[in-house]
Structures are given as C-alpha cells and as structure tokens.
Amino acid sequence: MNGNAVKQTGSTRLRRQLSFLDLLFLSFGGQAALISFFTYASAVVIKAGPLAPLAILVGTIIVLFNAASVYGLSKRYGEAGGYYIYAFYALTRKLSFETGWAYLFYSVLYGAAYVFGGTYLLHTYLHMPSILAASILLIPSIMFLVSGIRPSAKYAMVVSSVELAILVAIVVINLIHAHFRLISLMPRVSAPPGAFAAAIIFAVGIPTGYGSITPLGGEAIRKEDVGRAALTVVVIGGVLEAAAIYSVIDAAYVNNISLSVSTGSPLLKYLLHYYGVLAFIFLAFAAFNDGILALLSYMSATSRTVYAMGKNNMLPRQLALVRGGHPLNAVIVTSAMYALVSLVPLALLDHPFQLFLVYGAAAGMANLFVHISANVSYTLEGIRGFRRALRFSSLRRYRWYVTKAGDVAIGLVSTTMSFYFLVSSTTSSGLEHVFLTFLAWLLTGFIWAEVLEELHVRESHGASSEA
C-alpha cells in the first residue's frame, strides 16, 4: 500500500450514505440512456452503419471486462477517487496522478458532451438558443450538486426508471413497425476496420455510465456495492441500447427507410418520421431530465476525484476540505470547469452536435486510457496475490491461487482490448486532432507529475534533515 496517502481527519472525511440502489440509479444516470440513444448511438450508426448493434455489443463487452476489474478493485479500496485511488495504491505516485489527470479530462468532457447532446435536441427541434439550452441543463445540475449526493441519488432513481421504460417501449414499437421480421443485417454489410474502431470509441460511451460512481466509493455504505452496481448497469444498459438500435435499423430496413443523414442524428430522423408528436415528448424528456441527470452524475464523479487528489496533495489541499460531509470546495471548482468547457465553445461555435462528436471522441479515448490504468492495477494486485498463494499448500490457498489467476487473466484481457481499440481509433479519419489534444493533456499531466515528485522528494529530504 502506498504510504503517501494523507490520513483522513474530521475535516476531510466524507459521509457514507449511498446504498446499492442509490449507486445503481446514479450509474444509470451516468449512462443517460435516451440522450445516448440520440447522440452516442447515432455516432455509432454514422461510423458503422448497420453494424452499429454489433459495435455497441463489442463496446459493452469491453466495458464489462473493464467493470470486472473495477469490481475487484472497489472491494479492496473503499475511498473517494475511484480510478485515481486504485492507481495510487497499486501503481506509483506519478502514475496515479496521470490516471487522475486523465480521468478529469474524461469525466469533464464526457459530461460536457451530454450538455451538447441535450443542447442539440433543444436547439434543433425545439428551436431554443444554444446558450440558453445549455444553461438550462447546467444550472439545475450545479444546484443538485451543491445540495449534496442524497438529493441527487433520489432524482436519479425517478428519472432513470422512466427512461428505461421508454427505451423498452421504443424496442417494442419498432419491432411492431417491422412486423416482427428479425432480419440479420450482419452478412449484408461491412465497415472498414478504422471506421469500426472509431464506432467502438463512441460505443464504449454508451454503457460506461458506471464511470460516474467509481469515485463515490468514499460515500458508499458498502464499498463492494460500487462494483456490483457497475456490472449490473453495464449489462442492462449496453444490451438494451443495442436492442433499441437494432430495432430501429430492422424497422428502417423492412420499411425501406434510409438512415443516412448529412448532419445530425439518423436515429432521430427515423423516430420523427414514425413517432411524430410522441418523438418530441421523448426529445423533451431526454434533453431536460436526462441531460441534467447525466451531467449531475459526472459532476459528482469529477468533484470526488478532485477532492481525492487534493487530499493527497496532488492538487491544492484546500480542495479536500469538507463541510457537513460534503466536499464543497471541490464541487465549486468542478462546477466552474463544466461551465467553462460547455458554454465557451458554444458561444464561439454554435454547432452543438459537432461539438458533441469531438468531445465524445476525446472522452472515449480518455476513458480507455483510464481503464488501461485500472486494468493494470488489477493485474498487479492479482499477481501479488498469486505470489502470496504460492507460499502455502493448503486447499484454501489453492482456491485463492485459482481466484488470483482468474483476476490476472481478466486484467490482461481487459488491458489488451482497451489498448487495441485506443490505438486503432487513432488511425480513423477525423479523429487525429482529437488524439493529439488528448496526448497534449497527458503530456501536461506528466510534466506536472514530475514537478510534484520533485517537490515531494525535497520535502522528504527536508523532514529527514530536521530529524
């Protein structure tokens, strides 16, 4: 265990108050199933065409393996900070900073992408000015965030239940439109490997809502509930979203409707064609409630990562101060970050769907990078346990030996899959500038980590000299 952790005191301790159901629905909120349907899933359709359901299922499998690693790590480390904390204890101080730094990039851009997704729906189909639409999503989210995690969890429980019911209804209605002709589209089409890999980058953004609850380990009543909620949400959310996309493609194919569009969301085009006024109800619900909920989930995650990094002196220590069990300073900084990266680009470039595509791709790359770190942490934890098991010969230790070998296998498979699609996506046309931006962010974090390490060494030497 890394000895550099700052011991929690009364001024930096969060209150444990989140049950399994609270975490489950906050995680569903992070998925934002309906906005994901209109935005991330539409991007997958644009990149992979009729292979979109397969791309979503592949993305779900990748996320499921990553969630398995998170499940194992969450049982061991029940602190706020999620991926950053996993790397802090399992890797090195510098790598943990780089992981936390990448997670901040991921969570802020992923949450902001949902702002752009909701803004796109409100601006394009309800004719609302973009800045006004984005502000309508940001202000309630910030208010919920400041009020505390419990009100946020209750709001997530209500809204997530409704949106899951709507997705099921979309699947059933589309299958009725297709006269329940479940055709196989896979042999009919193909997609270039680079395009399919780019589709995967957006596909992993659909079921990866659990990334919003991993930093909440310090507020979970039972730390293992974080991993349990993550696995549950990945399976239900990913499979349901793939089914919804398949039902649209199936119904469009049977009824000879083209899903190709020059701009915007092809799935929205189809729903407006068939659903009429009902589609506008889905739009309003998705844009307002889902947009607020997704943004709230990721703002909570960002603030807890900022808090954890401040607690370990990797960001200003003042960010770790807690008032009434709530990291208010981290919340204020987080709110400012989200407002900055959402409102300024919209003011400069009033094209929310294009901004969503850029932010979504960047967040997808950062997401894979963060999970590579988590998977490596999980693999190393498994190897250490594997070595300990070799020292004993009892039946109980043999079972532990097998368990740790399985942990290592899961970690290696997860790392390989995430690394492959991260590298493959960089070769896709149109994503090069996104990759370079992410690379520049990592390089900045690397330089800052070196500065922190030098300051840490000097403080250690100074303390030794005084002693």
Side-chain angles (χ1 to χ4, degrees), residues 21-37:
L21 285 179
D22 292 330
L23 293 165
L24 184 72
F25 284 104
L26 277 170
S27 188
F28 274 125
Q31 280 190 349
L34 281 179
I35 281 192
S36 290
F37 180 80

Side-chain angles (χ1 to χ4, degrees), residues 190-463:
S190 62
F196 191 77
I200 296 295
I201 286 292
F202 289 100
V204 297
I206 295 173
T208 196
Y210 76 88
S212 64
I213 63 169
T214 51
L216 304 181
E219 291 159 282
I221 296 173
R222 299 176 59 192
K223 60 184 179 181
E224 60 269 20
D225 283 347
V226 172
R228 289 174 54 218
L231 291 172
T232 303
V233 167
V234 168
V235 173
I236 295 176
V239 171
L240 184 57
E241 199 81 25
I245 300 305
Y246 173 81
S247 72
V248 170
I249 293 175
D250 185 38
Y253 189 89
V254 169
N255 293 284
N256 295 316
I257 298 174
S258 173
L259 291 178
S260 61
V261 293
S262 56
T263 60
S265 168
L267 299 178
L268 196 50
K269 170 191 173 184
Y270 171 83
L271 291 185
L272 289 171
H273 175 84
Y274 258 117
Y275 287 64
V277 175
L278 187 59
F280 281 99
I281 297 176
F282 290 164
L283 278 173
F285 183 87
F288 285 106
N289 293 288
D290 229 7
I292 292 170
L293 182 55
L295 184 57
L296 173 61
S297 295
Y298 273 89
M299 290 175 77
S300 298
T302 303
S303 63
R304 271 55 180 183
T305 302
V306 169
Y307 155 82
M309 295 179 74
K311 184 165 65 74
N312 290 329
N313 293 317
M314 292 187 179
L315 290 177
R317 176 73 178 180
Q318 289 78 6
L319 295 174
L321 295 180
V322 172
R323 299 180 185 179
H326 187 52
L328 188 59
N329 287 359
V331 162
I332 293 172
V333 170
T334 296
S335 301
M337 291 165 59
Y338 276 78
L340 179 66
V341 301
S342 301
L343 298 180
V344 173
L346 274 176
L348 297 176
L349 181 66
D350 192 15
H351 296 290
F353 192 75
Q354 283 68 33
L355 286 170
F356 159 77
L357 292 176
V358 173
Y359 274 47
M365 290 180 183
N367 177 31
L368 290 175
F369 178 88
V370 166
H371 280 96
I372 288 171
S373 172
N375 294 332
V376 170
S377 300
Y378 190 58
T379 302
L380 291 177
E381 288 288 337
I383 291 173
R384 290 164 188 154
F386 190 83
R387 288 175 176 173
R388 288 193 295 270
L390 287 174
R391 301 173 188 171
F392 303 93
S393 58
S394 67
L395 178 61
R396 182 171 177 270
R397 293 297 177 180
Y398 276 126
R399 290 174 180 170
W400 190 28
Y401 178 92
V402 173
T403 299
K404 292 303 176 182
D407 292 345
V408 172
I410 290 173
L412 290 175
V413 170
S414 303
T415 302
T416 301
M417 294 174 68
S418 296
F419 184 78
Y420 170 77
F421 283 107
L422 175 60
V423 173
S424 298
S425 66
T426 63
T427 63
S428 174
S429 175
L431 295 185
E432 298 90 346
H433 63 292
V434 175
F435 176 71
L436 291 175
T437 302
F438 177 51
L439 209 58
W441 178 265
L442 289 181
L443 180 60
T444 304
F446 175 79
I447 294 171
W448 180 239
E450 289 293 334
V451 172
L452 287 176
E453 185 66 18
E454 180 64 24
L455 292 175
H456 179 70
V457 170
R458 290 184 180 182
E459 287 177 1
S460 300
H461 286 168

Side-chain angles (χ1 to χ4, degrees), residues 10-309:
S11 62
T12 61
R13 185 178 296 120
L14 299 177
R15 183 184 303 144
R16 292 192 175 275
Q17 54 188 320
L18 297 178
S19 67
F20 172 75
L21 285 179
D22 292 330
L23 293 165
L24 184 72
F25 284 104
L26 277 170
S27 188
F28 274 125
Q31 280 190 349
L34 281 179
I35 281 192
S36 290
F37 180 80
F38 292 126
T39 53
Y40 278 101
S42 287
V44 175
V45 172
I46 291 171
K47 295 291 183 180
L51 287 178
L54 178 61
I56 292 174
L57 288 177
V58 172
T60 300
I61 292 171
I62 294 172
V63 174
L64 186 60
F65 270 97
N66 289 334
S69 296
V70 168
Y71 175 62
L73 290 167
S74 68
K75 291 191 296 183
R76 185 173 178 85
Y77 307 118
E79 297 181 30
Y83 302 97
Y84 159 72
I85 286 296
Y86 305 154
F88 186 78
Y89 288 120
L91 301 176
T92 66
R93 183 179 175 87
K94 285 192 288 188
L95 285 176
S96 69
F97 175 85
E98 197 72 22
T99 300
W101 187 250
Y103 184 82
L104 293 179
F105 183 91
Y106 154 65
S107 60
V108 172
L109 294 194
Y110 192 85
Y114 278 121
V115 175
F116 296 140
T119 299
Y120 161 69
L121 298 180
L122 295 173
H123 173 70
T124 305
Y125 297 97
L126 300 182
H127 308 295
M128 186 178 293
S130 295
I131 292 294
L132 176 61
S135 299
I136 288 175
L137 299 179
L138 275 166
I139 292 172
S141 300
I142 293 172
M143 291 174 64
F144 270 112
L145 186 68
V146 172
S147 67
I149 199 67
R150 285 295 296 169
S152 302
K154 296 305 178 186
Y155 176 71
M157 189 173 296
V158 174
V159 175
S160 295
S161 299
V162 175
E163 71 177 20
L164 286 173
I166 291 175
L167 267 183
V168 171
I170 288 175
V171 173
V172 174
I173 293 172
N174 285 330
L175 291 180
I176 292 173
H177 286 158
H179 311 293
F180 291 97
R181 289 175 55 190
L182 305 180
I183 60 176
S184 174
L185 299 172
M186 305 314 166
R188 304 169 187 263
V189 295
S190 62
F196 191 77
I200 296 295
I201 286 292
F202 289 100
V204 297
I206 295 173
T208 196
Y210 76 88
S212 64
I213 63 169
T214 51
L216 304 181
E219 291 159 282
I221 296 173
R222 299 176 59 192
K223 60 184 179 181
E224 60 269 20
D225 283 347
V226 172
R228 289 174 54 218
L231 291 172
T232 303
V233 167
V234 168
V235 173
I236 295 176
V239 171
L240 184 57
E241 199 81 25
I245 300 305
Y246 173 81
S247 72
V248 170
I249 293 175
D250 185 38
Y253 189 89
V254 169
N255 293 284
N256 295 316
I257 298 174
S258 173
L259 291 178
S260 61
V261 293
S262 56
T263 60
S265 168
L267 299 178
L268 196 50
K269 170 191 173 184
Y270 171 83
L271 291 185
L272 289 171
H273 175 84
Y274 258 117
Y275 287 64
V277 175
L278 187 59
F280 281 99
I281 297 176
F282 290 164
L283 278 173
F285 183 87
F288 285 106
N289 293 288
D290 229 7
I292 292 170
L293 182 55
L295 184 57
L296 173 61
S297 295
Y298 273 89
M299 290 175 77
S300 298
T302 303
S303 63
R304 271 55 180 183
T305 302
V306 169
Y307 155 82
M309 295 179 74

